[in-house]
Amino acid sequence: MELDTSLSASTSTFDATEAFERYYMNKMQLAVNIVDCNVLIIEVARAGGKTEGVMGPRIIRVANDMPGELSFLVHKTYIALLTNVWPNIQAYFSRPVMVNGQVRPMLEYGIDYIVGESKIPSHFKQPRYPIAYPKHSILFRNGHHLQLVSSDQPESVAGRSGVHAFIEEMKHNKGEKLKTRLFPSLRGASANIRMSQYYQGITGVSDTARLDLDEDNWFEEYENNVNQELIDEIASVSLYYNAAMFNLYKAIHEQRNTTNPVTLEKIRLDIQRLNHAIELWKPRLADMRRNATFYVRASSFCNKDILGPKFFKTQLDTLDIDEFLTSICAVRHKEVVNKFFANYDKHKHQFSNGYIYKSILKLDLKEHFILTAHYLKFYNKHDEILVGYDPGHFSSIVCAQERDYGREIRILKEFYTCYPEEQPELAKQFYEYFGNDAVNKHIILYHDRAANKKREDLEKITTDARILKRELESYGFSVELMNEGQSTIYYWQQFKLLLLMFGERSRLLPRCLIDENECKNLVSAIPLSPLKKTDGRIELDKSSEKTVPLKNQAATTTQIPSALIYLLFGRYGNRVLNELSSIPDDLPDNFTI
């Protein structure tokens, strides 16, 4: 597929009928590509076909329509852009198509586009402005280029003038940063480019945001900007316009294969009529699209013909009902009210600037990237590592270090395994992440102090901790177990400590900050860790650990938050013994004893 989409007879080189019949789109994808207006916000559930049906075609159309210009490809982190987003888009570019009876990639590397290269091929048009970050740019042969931008580093667009923004996984991006730093960079272009229907536009795709997981639903406000009457008009005109283009391609193809002079004259008149219709309606359609916002919200069932019934049966069997309703049915989930982490606030207690971008930006899109502690801004290879451990069929650890002379603790990384994987696999993950960088290989490990555990459960916890210690030490670490033989703690004591720590009410306790990129399941599960009362006693409601399948427990159950609790209480519980020696009397309004 060429970036030049001219409709002239001299540039038409493929059988449009065959191409049309072989290309499948579901109803959501058809609607998006028919309307194709300036602002396109797609809230579509899992496996709805967002990349191949929305983002991929849209990138090509924008590049076609604004040659030489700059657009932004945006995700929350560069890590996701390098390892997930761009590989998926490139796979779409590489999909096979039929051209002149031969199969070739839809866009051919080196011919139609290049990635991460500073040397531009001679047949490429030069961009209007020099490419600022060649290692993180995709350049098309007509000079249009995409610059990778992470919303946790929006200053990377400072001084740049883009014409369009492509935003992947909108729910993971902070809407406020996009609105204040990225969107103002969509400015400045020639008069001709400003006439494009895509100029200063946005293309955003995402699953439905879960507020109970503290995901950001900033994009939902665009639903209020939709002028349905205008969208209906655009769809009507677009269908007429597309039919005219298809018939034009068909007529040109017939003209090349016909020798009868009478038939040729008829085809010539048809081509003239179709060209006139296209020239008449193209600017009118562009003008309507330029001023329109289209918001689509769809479930996975929009792609049911491709996915088949087994997909939905498997999802229903493996996901808990809340996750199924959100991830598959696109039902917006409400936030949990009674939380065990009562004073936890994602704006205060999470950080997103945890990567050393100076090192990451030295890499280019062609390199194979493996993330380790080497790229963590707040990891000190000379300091010991604090570890909280929750054993079981679902085993998890959280890793932290203290800073500022113990006045701050940073939760840097989470790891987990599901049975049959156990301590050996957990230790291997830890080593592969920290092992090559750690100078100080001392680990202080905190596990459950057996809050009301039976004796056999306590013995199992102790045994699991000792096995993990042995496995970690086989990689050259030294491990100090902290909780063996210590007295039982109770849920209300854990609750009170968390209340003090995240409420920042005690000078004796450090400020706790969690890396939301490297501990994504932890920060997802904390808001889903509910408080319950049994005979008036405060407890952590762990029922989700029994109802959710093991492989889905990381982000939606109390497993990883429990590992954090063991770390925090084991490390700091003794500092505030007086406060923890009596039932709390300063509970938030929605809690009672």
Side-chain angles (χ1 to χ4, degrees):
M1 179 179 291
E2 297 188 346
L3 285 173
D4 183 3
T5 57
S6 170
L7 298 176
S8 67
S10 61
T11 60
S12 179
T13 59
F14 66 94
D15 188 332
T17 306
E18 181 181 43
F20 180 83
E21 290 176 345
R22 288 177 176 269
Y23 195 83
Y24 171 84
M25 282 189 175
N26 61 46
K27 290 182 179 180
M28 177 276 294
Q29 295 166 336
L30 281 171
V32 166
N33 286 279
I34 288 170
V35 174
D36 197 30
C37 58
N38 184 265
V39 176
L40 193 61
I41 305 295
I42 312 300
E43 178 189 341
V44 179
R46 185 180 302 173
K50 294 185 283 290
T51 298
E52 66 273 18
V54 178
M55 190 62 78
R58 180 84 162 179
I59 288 174
I60 293 175
R61 288 198 298 272
V62 170
N64 280 338
D65 210 50
M66 293 186 283
E69 298 297 329
L70 167 67
S71 293
F72 303 121
L73 181 59
V74 186
H75 196 281
K76 180 182 178 182
T77 69
Y78 263 109
I79 307 301
L81 287 165
L82 292 170
T83 61
N84 184 37
V85 173
W86 167 243
N88 286 338
I89 293 173
Q90 189 170 33
Y92 170 77
F93 287 172
S94 301
R95 66 183 295 174
V97 295
M98 184 74 70
V99 180
N100 292 332
Q102 295 182 340
V103 177
R104 57 156 283 184
M106 182 169 61
L107 296 184
E108 193 167 347
Y109 189 87
I111 304 298
D112 298 310
Y113 73 101
I114 56 174
V115 175
E117 297 184 13
S118 56
K119 185 177 180 180
I120 300 176
S122 59
H123 69 284
F124 275 48
K125 179 182 177 181
Q126 291 290 326
R128 191 161 70 97
Y129 294 116
I131 300 176
Y133 304 99
K135 289 186 176 182
H136 295 130
S137 295
I138 300 98
L139 176 65
F140 297 98
R141 81 159 181 259
N142 70 349
H144 191 100
H145 58 292
L146 290 173
Q147 177 185 321
L148 270 57
V149 176
S150 61
S151 62
D152 63 348
Q153 294 282 304
E155 58 271 16
S156 62
V157 300
R160 304 291 285 163
S161 294
V163 293
H164 199 91
F166 300 93
I167 308 171
E168 283 275 356
E169 290 298 337
M170 294 181 291
K171 67 179 184 179
H172 294 314
N173 291 271
K174 288 183 171 64
E176 192 59 33
K177 284 189 175 181
L178 294 177
K179 295 173 186 175
T180 58
R181 300 187 189 182
L182 176 69
F183 293 167
S185 296
L186 300 176
R187 62 177 184 263
S190 66
N192 184 49
I193 293 299
R194 288 197 294 271
M195 294 303 293
S196 168
Q197 66 194 47
Y198 306 111
Y199 176 64
Q200 290 187 325
I202 301 168
T203 304
V205 297
S206 182
D207 297 346
T208 298
R210 287 188 62 172
L211 297 181
D212 56 332
L213 301 185
D214 278 339
E215 294 171 346
D216 197 332
N217 66 338
W218 61 273
F219 52 90
E220 292 178 10
E221 66 188 50
Y222 283 91
E223 200 167 8
N224 300 322
N225 298 341
V226 177
N227 180 336
Q228 191 58 51
E229 184 178 353
L230 177 58
I231 295 299
D232 292 342
E233 287 293 326
I234 290 172
S236 298
V237 175
S238 178
L239 287 171
Y240 174 81
Y241 177 79
N242 288 343
M245 284 206 305
F246 173 75
N247 288 328
L248 177 62
Y249 277 117
K250 186 177 179 181
I252 291 171
H253 180 73
E254 291 174 351
Q255 185 183 47
R256 290 175 176 175
N257 295 279
T258 302
T259 58
N260 187 306
V262 176
T263 305
L264 280 173
E265 178 62 18
K266 180 178 181 301
I267 293 175
R268 187 186 66 78
L269 293 173
D270 286 341
I271 291 175
Q272 185 178 5
R273 175 180 55 82
L274 290 167
N275 269 322
H276 175 73
I278 289 169
E279 290 172 4
L280 177 66
W281 284 104
K282 184 177 181 179
R284 299 182 183 184
L285 180 58
D287 188 54
M288 288 190 289
R289 284 171 165 168
R290 192 180 304 114
N291 297 287
T293 295
F294 190 35
Y295 192 105
V296 175
R297 183 178 170 201
S299 72
S300 302
F301 290 94
C302 72
N303 214 19
K304 64 182 184 302
D305 295 335
I306 294 297
L307 298 173
K310 186 177 180 181
F311 170 84
F312 298 97
K313 176 67 165 57
T314 301
Q315 298 300 312
L316 186 59
D317 291 342
T318 56
L319 300 177
D320 68 88
I321 189 61
D322 287 338
E323 183 68 12
F324 181 83
L325 289 174
T326 305
S327 298
I328 304 301
C329 301
V331 174
R332 293 169 181 169
H333 200 281
K334 294 183 179 179
E335 194 170 0
V336 171
V337 177
N338 290 347
K339 300 176 183 179
F340 197 78
F341 291 75
N343 281 328
Y344 185 84
D345 184 338
K346 68 175 182 178
H347 302 292
K348 292 181 179 179
H349 304 118
Q350 293 175 202
F351 64 94
S352 61
N353 62 334
Y355 296 126
I356 304 174
Y357 276 109
K358 184 177 180 180
S359 298
I360 294 174
L361 291 176
K362 292 179 180 179
L363 305 170
D364 63 48
L365 285 169
K366 297 181 291 183
E367 294 185 62
H368 180 60
F369 176 70
I370 298 176
L371 180 64
T372 68
H374 175 75
Y375 296 101
L376 296 186
K377 181 191 299 185
F378 299 105
Y379 169 64
N380 188 335
K381 61 184 179 182
H382 299 286
D383 285 353
E384 62 195 12
I385 301 175
L386 311 177
V387 173
Y389 175 41
D390 183 28
H393 287 308
F394 183 101
S395 299
S396 60
I397 59 177
V398 295
C399 309
Q401 286 186 326
E402 291 179 334
R403 296 171 55 85
D404 193 20
Y405 303 100
R407 289 191 285 267
E408 179 181 281
I409 181 171
R410 295 257 180 177
I411 313 301
L412 302 175
K413 183 63 178 174
E414 63 180 33
F415 301 100
Y416 68 90
T417 59
C418 303
Y419 186 83
E421 293 186 348
E422 292 183 309
Q423 291 90 349
E425 290 79 14
L426 203 56
K428 182 181 179 182
Q429 291 181 41
F430 184 94
Y431 169 72
E432 290 176 345
Y433 195 82
F434 288 104
N436 292 327
D437 293 283
V439 174
N440 186 337
K441 292 184 176 292
H442 185 58
I443 298 170
I444 301 178
L445 192 147
Y446 299 89
H447 55 84
D448 193 358
R449 285 195 194 178
N452 297 325
K453 294 287 192 303
K454 298 177 182 177
R455 180 175 178 179
E456 55 269 27
D457 294 331
L458 173 57
E459 292 175 350
K460 180 68 167 64
I461 290 170
T462 303
T463 301
D464 286 339
R466 290 175 179 173
I467 294 173
L468 181 59
K469 169 183 165 72
R470 181 192 69 204
E471 293 296 330
L472 288 168
E473 289 181 339
S474 72
Y475 289 106
F477 295 97
S478 64
V479 181
E480 183 179 0
L481 295 180
M482 299 301 295
N483 290 354
E484 285 192 344
Q486 296 190 11
S487 59
T488 295
I489 59 172
Y490 297 93
Y491 284 124
W492 68 263
Q493 292 175 305
Q494 296 174 350
F495 175 80
K496 183 66 180 286
L497 178 72
L498 298 175
L499 204 66
L500 292 171
M501 177 165 281
F502 291 112
E504 301 179 12
R505 301 181 183 181
S506 173
R507 287 185 174 181
L508 300 175
L509 297 174
R511 187 183 183 204
C512 182
L513 298 170
I514 303 175
D515 189 326
E516 63 184 37
N517 297 318
E518 293 302 290
C519 303
K520 61 181 181 180
N521 293 299
L522 174 61
V523 298
S524 169
I526 281 176
L528 295 182
S529 299
L531 177 146
K532 70 175 183 178
K533 292 181 294 178
T534 303
D535 298 328
R537 298 191 307 272
I538 291 177
E539 293 183 5
L540 174 61
D541 185 352
K542 291 195 168 190
S543 58
S544 58
E545 297 180 13
K546 298 179 181 178
T547 58
V548 178
L550 278 179
K551 65 178 182 179
N552 298 321
Q553 288 191 3
T556 58
T557 73
T558 53
Q559 298 277 20
I560 302 181
S562 293
L564 175 63
I565 291 171
Y566 301 149
L567 167 60
L568 296 179
F569 201 98
R571 186 73 176 176
Y572 306 114
N574 290 335
R575 295 189 184 182
V576 286
L577 282 177
N578 290 336
E579 287 89 340
L580 302 182
S581 61
S582 60
I583 293 177
D585 57 6
D586 56 350
L587 295 174
D589 293 338
N590 58 328
F591 296 120
T592 57
I593 299 294

